[in-house]
Amino acid sequence: DTGSAAAIPVNPNYDIAYVTPVSIGTPPQTLHLDFDTGSSDLWVFSSHLPASQIRGQTIYVPANSSTAKLLADHTWSITYGDGSASRGNVYVDNFTVGGLTVENQAVQCALQVSTSFTRESNIDGLVGLGFSTLNTVVPKSQLTFFDNAKPHMDEPVFTADLKWKSEGTYDFGFIDEKKYTGKITYVPVNTSPGYWTFTSSGYAVGSGNFSATSIVGIADTGTSLVYLPPSILTAYYRQVEGATSSRTYGGYVFPCNSKLPSFTFGIGEARITIPSSYISYAPVTAGSSTCFGGLQSSSSLGINIWGDVALKAAFVVFHGGNPPTIGWAKK
Ligand SMILES: CCNC(=O)c1c(-c2ccccc2)csc1NC(=O)CNCCc1c[nH]c2ccccc12
């Protein structure tokens, strides 16, 4: 089996996150979910939520699905590094993405979501595509959509072709040669943290020299920005007129009309370049002439994150073989 579905920016002006249409249950209920390689819970806004926590999201109503079955006495609760959180109970139901169906997929129904999720009216939930070891369901943890679908797939892979301010695709079970140029460079994945953790071979700022240095980080479609060690940030923002690290805004900001260099990172011998336009992320507040950078420091996170700002500069193959690997190509 294979599947292919759109990755749609939730906001027309800034790539905060991307959502993908999915069908759940019988008759199918269509929700738009954030496919997230940085977590492993599939959870949705549901009919169990208080109305006060719903602001325009589409909810999943298990009672309206003849194939929904409650997973009795199972609950879940997740808190993300940005402080957002959700929790609830668990059903299993039919789950279809771009023509690829998994029966008996665990669908975690929210009974409570934090305000940052309520405020995101275009995100109806998340599809975790990290490793199932991170799943928070108790007493028995549940498998991700990818782990459930893998045995039925032509190839045990999914690919991310995210785009800057436009619609990209997630493909499941096949690699679309038309979506990239040159070759795909595969590097090993360390699965023990539960994320798609790999080692980049270094970086360059603009047209400067490439600095060969190992950067251990995760490929995370669920995080908007790139978070890297402070030494790399200093090297980058030193080249940006008026850039400062702002306590007020919690990161590097600069005048929106400043000229930004591109940022290149290494995957083995290969090089992926993030255009400067991706790094001028967004005004700090609507209409401000101060912009927030798409590259930020990972010093307070304890982990380096290659989020959407980096992923949308490449065609990325999440290969779930034994052992898993991750592939990067220019496009
Ligand atoms: C900023 C969101 N990212 C994180 O918290 C995160 C961290 C992390 C850990 C410590 C401190 C900061 C971040 C490690 S892996 C990782 N990645 C994820 O957790 C990926 N899932 C994010 C889901 C998510 C959280 N808040 C949202 C708001 C809109 C759309 C999606 C989300």
Side-chain angles (χ1 to χ4, degrees):
D1 297 1
T2 63
S4 186
I8 306 156
V10 293
N11 179 303
N13 304 315
Y14 323 112
D15 294 337
I16 295 162
Y18 298 84
V19 287
T20 297
V22 306
S23 295
I24 313 176
T26 312
Q29 300 178 38
T30 299
L31 276 71
H32 285 77
L33 306 180
D34 182 351
F35 281 39
D36 178 11
T37 58
S39 67
S40 305
D41 282 43
L42 192 170
W43 69 264
V44 293
F45 275 65
S46 81
S47 45
H48 298 305
L49 273 172
S52 62
Q53 294 183 22
I54 302 171
R55 192 172 305 162
Q57 290 83 359
T58 300
I59 60 171
Y60 167 58
V61 185
N64 292 350
S65 169
S66 59
T67 43
K69 296 185 281 295
L70 176 71
L71 206 50
D73 306 321
H74 281 68
T75 59
W76 60 280
S77 174
I78 192 164
T79 302
Y80 301 98
D82 64 352
S84 57
S86 51
R87 63 177 175 76
N89 60 16
V90 188
Y91 288 76
V92 290
D93 206 342
N94 299 344
F95 189 85
T96 299
V97 178
L100 177 59
T101 296
V102 165
E103 295 179 352
N104 295 321
Q105 172 64 45
V107 178
Q108 300 167 217
C109 290
L111 273 77
Q112 197 274 333
V113 299
S114 63
T115 51
S116 68
F117 286 119
T118 297
R119 275 199 303 268
E120 280 297 343
S121 53
N122 295 322
I123 297 177
D124 304 331
L126 268 63
V127 176
L129 294 171
F131 293 92
S132 295
T133 46
L134 286 181
N135 181 264
T136 73
V137 174
V138 291
K140 271 170 65 291
S141 90
Q142 301 300 302
L143 294 180
T144 64
F145 166 72
F146 182 49
D147 275 351
N148 281 324
K150 231 189 295 190
H152 312 286
M153 283 177 164
D154 296 11
E155 291 176 72
V157 300
F158 66 91
T159 66
D161 178 19
L162 299 181
K163 296 189 178 197
W164 181 62
K165 302 191 181 180
S166 56
E167 189 173 306
T169 34
Y170 286 109
D171 292 336
F172 290 87
F174 72 105
I175 293 173
D176 184 347
E177 317 282 324
K178 293 188 297 302
K179 291 199 167 104
Y180 64 92
T181 60
K183 63 190 271 303
I184 302 172
T185 301
Y186 289 90
V187 292
V189 164
N190 171 11
T191 59
S192 39
Y195 304 113
W196 291 85
T197 307
F198 70 98
T199 301
S200 163
S201 52
Y203 72 96
V205 176
S207 53
N209 294 339
F210 183 80
S211 174
T213 173
S214 290
I215 308 165
V216 176
I218 71 168
D220 184 358
T221 56
T223 291
S224 319
L225 308 183
V226 170
Y227 296 87
L228 293 172
S231 57
I232 298 179
L233 274 291
T234 315
Y236 180 82
Y237 285 110
R238 187 172 43 217
Q239 313 256 341
V240 178
E241 189 81 25
T244 58
S245 180
S246 154
R247 216 184 315 283
T248 317
Y249 297 113
Y252 279 92
V253 299
F254 44 82
C256 293
N257 57 13
S258 285
K259 180 136 184 45
L260 293 178
S262 60
F263 183 83
T264 296
F265 58 100
I267 301 289
E269 294 304 303
R271 303 286 179 261
I272 303 289
T273 295
I274 305 173
S276 55
S277 53
Y278 296 14
I279 302 170
S280 177
Y281 182 67
V284 290
T285 50
S288 166
S289 65
T290 301
C291 276
F292 198 74
L295 302 182
Q296 294 296 340
S297 172
S298 61
S299 52
S300 66
L301 313 194
I303 182 171
N304 296 312
I305 303 180
W306 300 96
D308 298 333
V309 161
L311 298 172
K312 67 184 123 170
F315 176 78
V316 188
V317 181
F318 295 84
H319 185 269
N322 274 322
T325 59
I326 187 166
W328 296 75
K330 295 173 183 292
K331 62 188 183 191

